């Protein structure tokens, strides 16, 4: 198992290194750079930009260096915890992100917990009560959740949250706590506002997860070993939790690697609609302005979430499924 973990960690490092090259190349693909957009903005305001000033700015931002040097400076800084320098905000990326990254992580973790807590019991109930009225009702709600646009659901829930609970429209906290230091009252305000974006972002993922768990569990419940267990007189509850559910949870756990980046990328539009102080709107702005270090840091954040999520799901699958553990032993 130690050898397996070492191989997985080495694969993670190589994967992130390859992704960093691809991310940097994609950022450089559009014609021009941040300085081109900045000069065009200055000229649009009627200000003249001389060749000496352009050269000074290129040296100031490090854009006069070859691309491979710019990449080495960026990736070396990432390894050391330096996310680079934001051209648009004229500050280090870490300072620009500031409080947005912890709030983004809080929102994403809460959404993942919501998806699993809701989809797990509903998926089990739908599979064990196939074709019942409850199953049809839950299936209808699942299809409704998949079909409803997130931004529309966001507007509806914002309205009802304001009417029923007096929650302020938009944001993750009340206006008086925006620039205030962290206190219990501010944290309580965050929790009071958090449920709306969690439900909005997690609805589609929850509906899809319910359908996958229901289909996998139904497939396992019709296998021969379940019939044999029933013939031996085992109770339905023991049969369910000891055999079929464990096998049906493999895709359920494997989805952890993809659900994290999907939530982050899917929350970009929702963050703009609901005025959430997360990294989503900032990512869109950095891509438009070609602020390559800021955009690259966000994209690498998504890559790290993907790789770490896959690593966690692999470990959980190895613990859950004996066939995977046997496969590891056989590889040795």
């Amino acid at each position: 198992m130690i050898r397996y973990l070492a191989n997985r960690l080495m694969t993670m490092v190589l994967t992130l290194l390859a992704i960093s090259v691809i991310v940097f190349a994609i950022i450089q693909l559009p014609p021009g750079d941040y300085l081109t957009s900045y000069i065009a903005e200055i000229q649009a305001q009627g200000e003249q930009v001389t060749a000496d000033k352009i050269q000074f700015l290129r040296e100031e931002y490090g854009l006069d260096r070859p691309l491979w040097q710019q990449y080495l400076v960026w990736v070396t800084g990432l390894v050391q915890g330096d996310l680079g320098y934001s051209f648009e905000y004229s500050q280090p990326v870490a300072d620009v992100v500031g409080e947005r990254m912890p709030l983004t992580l809080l929102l994403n973790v809460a959404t993942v917990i919501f998806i699993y807590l809701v989809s797990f019991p509903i998926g089990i109930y739908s599979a064990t009560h196939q074709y019942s009225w409850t199953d049809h009702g839950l299936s209808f709600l699942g299809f409704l959740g998949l079909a409803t646009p997130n931004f529309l659901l966001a507007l509806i829930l914002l309205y009802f949250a304001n009417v029923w609970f007096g929650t302020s429209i938009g944001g993750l906290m009340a206006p008086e706590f925006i620039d205030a230091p962290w206190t219990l009252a501010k944290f309580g305000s965050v929790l009071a506002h958090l449920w709306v974006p969690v439900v909005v972002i997690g609805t589609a993922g929850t509906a899809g997860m319910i359908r996958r768990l229901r289909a996998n569990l139904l497939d396992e419940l019709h296998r021969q070993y379940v019939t044999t267990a029933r013939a031996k007189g085992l109770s339905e509850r023991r049969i369910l939790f000891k055999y079929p559910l464990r096998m049906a949870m493999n895709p359920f756990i494997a989805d952890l690697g993809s659900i994290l980046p999907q939530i982050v990328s899917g929350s970009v539009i929702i963050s703009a609609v609901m005025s959430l102080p997360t990294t989503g709107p900032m990512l869109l702005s950095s891509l438009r302005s070609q602020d390559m270090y800021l955009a690259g840091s966000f994209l690498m954040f998504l890559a790290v979430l993907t790789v770490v999520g896959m690593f966690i799901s692999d470990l959980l699958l190895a613990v859950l499924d004996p066939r995977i553990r046997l496969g590891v032993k056989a590889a040795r």
Side-chain angles (χ1 to χ4, degrees), residues 146-189:
L146 289 171
T148 304
N150 284 347
F151 69 89
L152 177 61
L153 182 60
L155 295 176
I156 295 174
L157 288 184
L158 281 176
Y159 171 77
F160 284 110
N162 179 260
V163 172
W164 292 345
F165 304 106
T167 305
S168 58
I169 299 295
L172 278 177
M173 62 189 72
E176 61 267 20
F177 294 113
I178 291 180
D179 295 322
W182 280 99
T183 60
L184 289 177
K186 182 175 181 178
F187 184 71
S189 179

Side-chain angles (χ1 to χ4, degrees), residues 117-317:
L117 287 180
V118 174
S119 60
F120 187 74
I122 293 179
I124 295 175
Y125 186 88
S126 295
T128 55
H129 296 76
Q130 187 182 16
Y131 301 137
S132 65
W133 284 106
T134 307
D135 181 31
H136 288 304
L138 293 174
S139 297
F140 173 76
L141 290 178
F143 289 129
L144 188 63
L146 289 171
T148 304
N150 284 347
F151 69 89
L152 177 61
L153 182 60
L155 295 176
I156 295 174
L157 288 184
L158 281 176
Y159 171 77
F160 284 110
N162 179 260
V163 172
W164 292 345
F165 304 106
T167 305
S168 58
I169 299 295
L172 278 177
M173 62 189 72
E176 61 267 20
F177 294 113
I178 291 180
D179 295 322
W182 280 99
T183 60
L184 289 177
K186 182 175 181 178
F187 184 71
S189 179
V190 171
L191 294 181
H193 288 73
L194 187 63
W195 71 272
V196 176
V198 165
V199 172
V200 171
I201 300 171
T203 298
T206 301
M209 192 76 75
I210 291 173
R211 303 305 301 170
R212 286 193 294 274
L213 181 59
R214 179 183 182 276
N216 292 327
L217 187 53
L218 282 174
D219 181 63
E220 292 294 331
L221 288 173
H222 290 89
R223 292 187 179 273
Q224 187 64 41
Y225 69 86
V226 176
T227 304
T228 303
R230 285 173 179 157
K232 291 182 178 181
L234 296 179
S235 64
E236 290 294 327
R237 179 181 295 272
R238 185 176 180 184
I239 293 174
L240 175 65
F241 287 98
K242 187 173 179 60
Y243 299 109
L245 184 58
R246 292 176 62 186
M247 300 301 103
M249 283 181 62
N250 283 6
F252 197 74
I253 295 177
D255 282 342
L256 183 63
S258 59
I259 197 171
L260 287 174
Q262 286 177 1
I263 290 174
V264 176
S265 58
S267 64
V268 173
I269 298 177
I270 301 303
S271 298
V273 172
M274 302 182 67
S275 301
L276 302 180
T278 59
T279 57
M282 192 174 289
L283 172 59
L284 290 178
S285 175
S286 63
L287 291 174
R288 285 196 298 264
S289 63
Q290 293 184 272
D291 193 351
M292 59 183 186
Y293 292 130
L294 183 58
S297 299
F298 285 139
L299 295 178
M300 285 303 299
F301 173 65
L302 292 177
V304 170
L305 283 180
T306 303
V307 173
V308 171
M310 294 297 294
F311 178 71
I312 295 175
S313 64
D314 287 345
L315 292 182
L316 293 177
L317 286 174

